[in-house]
């Protein structure tokens, strides 16, 4: 379970990239957010990595399709 | 048409399509998870070869296979067509990447490099089904300007769709190229490092 601070941080990054209030994005998947295209996706991934000091694996990149999924992946990396 | 234009980026390249790619095109365009917004095609290999044979004779049409540099494996297609050398314009499309491929961004960068730097075009445009919001959004994020809505522009199967026309000028390209290239290069660096560690 992701911490509140992590959810807030990831939500802030995703919201900034998509120019949407983070609260509007909670609980939504990438496919439900028209602005979350493949270019924005890479911007989000790199911003999360830079901000949190982790590096996702290539096979993870396309599965980071929601704030919750990103948080879970970050937690996995931190636990590894 | 038959051409010898090609381009290589950091992780992906574009090369002219050949008859031998007919099987790949059929698999790409008919495979699971394909967009509902794709035009139906000659869905068997002989018919796809016949389509490509007609394409080879069509002037102003550059059709490419997107491939991964590290392996040579094809991961998609893209085309630049309706090239008007007098007006300095062309349309791009036939842009499909395999499910799970990371080729979208760099293939677009390479396509624009060919259009503006090699062919010296002034403006490139694309028409996308308006309901295909991920692709419309991609072009907007990339830096294209929305030129207008084209009502009932596409007929796909028995359905009619509005289209969005988006444009990129040579001047706009010169402003955005560094940024999109940097993002593509960072992704490529990641892919190379992870492949090296496997």
């Amino acid at each position: 379970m992701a911490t509140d601070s992590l959810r807030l941080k990831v939500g802030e990054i995703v919201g900034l990239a998509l120019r949407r209030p983070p609260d509007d994005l909670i609980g939504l998947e990438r496919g439900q957010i028209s602005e979350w295209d493949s270019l924005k996706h890479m911007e989000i991934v790199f911003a999360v990595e830079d901000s949190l000091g982790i590096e996702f694996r290539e096979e993870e990149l396309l599965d980071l399709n929601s704030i919750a999924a990103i948080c879970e992946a970050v937690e996995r990396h931190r636990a590894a | 048409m038959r051409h010898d234009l090609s381009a290589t980026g950091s992780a992906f390249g574009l090369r002219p399509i050949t008859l031998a790619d007919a099987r790949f095109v059929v698999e790409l365009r008919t495979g699971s998870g394909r967009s509902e917004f794709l035009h139906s095609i000659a869905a068997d290999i002989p018919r796809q070869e016949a389509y490509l044979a007609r394409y080879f004779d069509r002037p102003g049409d550059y059709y490419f296979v997107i491939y991964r540099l590290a392996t040579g494996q094809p991961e998609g297609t893209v085309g630049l067509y309706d090239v008007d050398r007098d007006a300095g314009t062309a349309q791009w499309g036939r842009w499909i990447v395999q499910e799970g491929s990371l080729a979208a961004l760099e293939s677009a960068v390479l396509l624009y490099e060919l259009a503006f730097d090699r062919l010296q075009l002034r403006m490139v445009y694309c028409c996308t089904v308006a309901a295909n919001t991920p692709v419309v959004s991609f072009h907007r994020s990339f830096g294209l300007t929305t030129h207008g809505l084209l009502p009932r522009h596409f007929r796909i199967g028995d359905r009619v769709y509005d289209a969005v026309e988006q444009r990129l000028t040579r001047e706009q390209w010169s402003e955005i190229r560094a940024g999109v290239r940097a993002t593509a290069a960072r992704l490529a660096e990641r892919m190379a490092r992870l492949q090296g560690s496997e």
Side-chain angles (χ1 to χ4, degrees):
Chain A
M1 178 69 78
T3 62
D4 287 345
S5 63
L6 176 59
R7 269 196 300 272
L8 280 173
K9 185 66 189 171
V10 171
E12 182 183 302
I13 291 169
V14 175
L16 191 64
L18 302 182
R19 298 177 187 175
R20 293 264 301 262
D23 288 350
D24 287 0
L25 306 169
I26 300 294
L28 296 181
E29 299 277 331
R30 178 178 165 187
Q32 300 169 290
I33 304 168
S34 60
E35 300 95 331
W36 196 332
D37 56 63
S38 54
L39 179 52
K40 288 292 179 194
H41 188 69
M42 295 319 306
E43 292 176 8
I44 289 167
V45 167
F46 291 148
V48 169
E49 290 183 338
D50 291 343
S51 176
L52 301 176
I54 60 164
E55 189 171 88
F56 297 114
R57 295 186 300 277
E58 181 181 344
E59 61 269 26
E60 289 179 298
L61 296 183
L62 295 177
D63 293 330
L64 305 172
N65 287 330
S66 65
I67 291 173
I70 295 171
C71 290
E72 287 170 18
V74 170
E75 294 286 26
R76 281 198 303 274
H77 277 263
R78 286 177 168 174
Chain B
M1 65 184 187
R2 292 193 188 278
H3 67 89
D4 58 4
L5 272 184
S6 61
T8 54
S10 301
F12 297 96
L14 304 185
R15 63 164 174 79
I17 199 164
T18 70
L19 266 187
D21 294 308
R23 176 186 295 276
F24 170 70
V25 174
V26 169
E27 290 172 354
L28 182 70
R29 297 188 64 119
T30 60
S32 62
R34 296 314 327 149
S35 168
E36 64 179 295
F37 304 120
L38 279 181
H39 287 283
S40 61
I41 59 153
D44 62 63
I45 293 166
R47 289 169 62 199
Q48 184 59 215
E49 287 174 340
Y51 173 89
L52 288 173
R54 291 193 298 277
Y55 150 76
F56 290 137
D57 290 332
R58 194 160 52 238
D61 191 334
Y62 299 83
Y63 196 1
F64 302 93
V65 166
I66 305 162
Y67 66 100
R68 192 180 278 232
L69 295 178
T71 62
Q73 288 298 305
E75 295 198 9
T77 61
V78 67
L80 188 68
Y81 44 90
D82 296 338
V83 176
D84 184 334
R85 300 305 287 264
D86 293 332
T89 62
Q91 180 170 189
W92 77 283
R94 300 185 198 129
W95 186 40
I96 308 168
V97 295
Q98 282 177 330
E99 200 171 7
S101 170
L102 296 170
L105 173 59
E106 188 157 64
S107 63
V109 171
L110 294 172
L111 194 284
Y112 288 119
E113 286 180 354
L114 289 174
F116 292 118
D117 303 340
R118 301 276 290 280
L119 296 177
Q120 296 291 306
L121 298 177
R122 287 190 310 104
M123 186 273 286
V124 175
Y125 62 99
C126 55
C127 298
T128 308
V129 173
N132 193 356
T133 53
V135 176
V136 173
S137 179
F138 175 90
H139 292 312
R140 188 185 307 119
S141 298
F142 199 96
L144 277 70
T145 303
T146 298
H147 183 67
L149 185 72
L150 307 173
R152 303 177 64 80
H153 185 73
F154 289 118
R155 174 175 290 280
I156 301 173
D158 58 359
R159 297 189 64 182
V160 175
Y161 295 91
D162 296 342
V164 177
E165 181 179 333
Q166 294 167 291
R167 297 181 171 185
L168 189 70
T169 64
R170 182 204 294 272
E171 292 74 24
Q172 289 171 315
W173 170 241
S174 69
E175 290 171 10
I176 65 173
R177 63 195 302 169
V180 291
R181 274 179 173 161
T183 303
R186 180 169 176 179
L187 179 58
E189 180 190 347
R190 165 74 49 80
M191 292 164 62
R193 190 163 62 248
L194 292 171
Q195 280 164 359
S197 67
E198 284 173 356

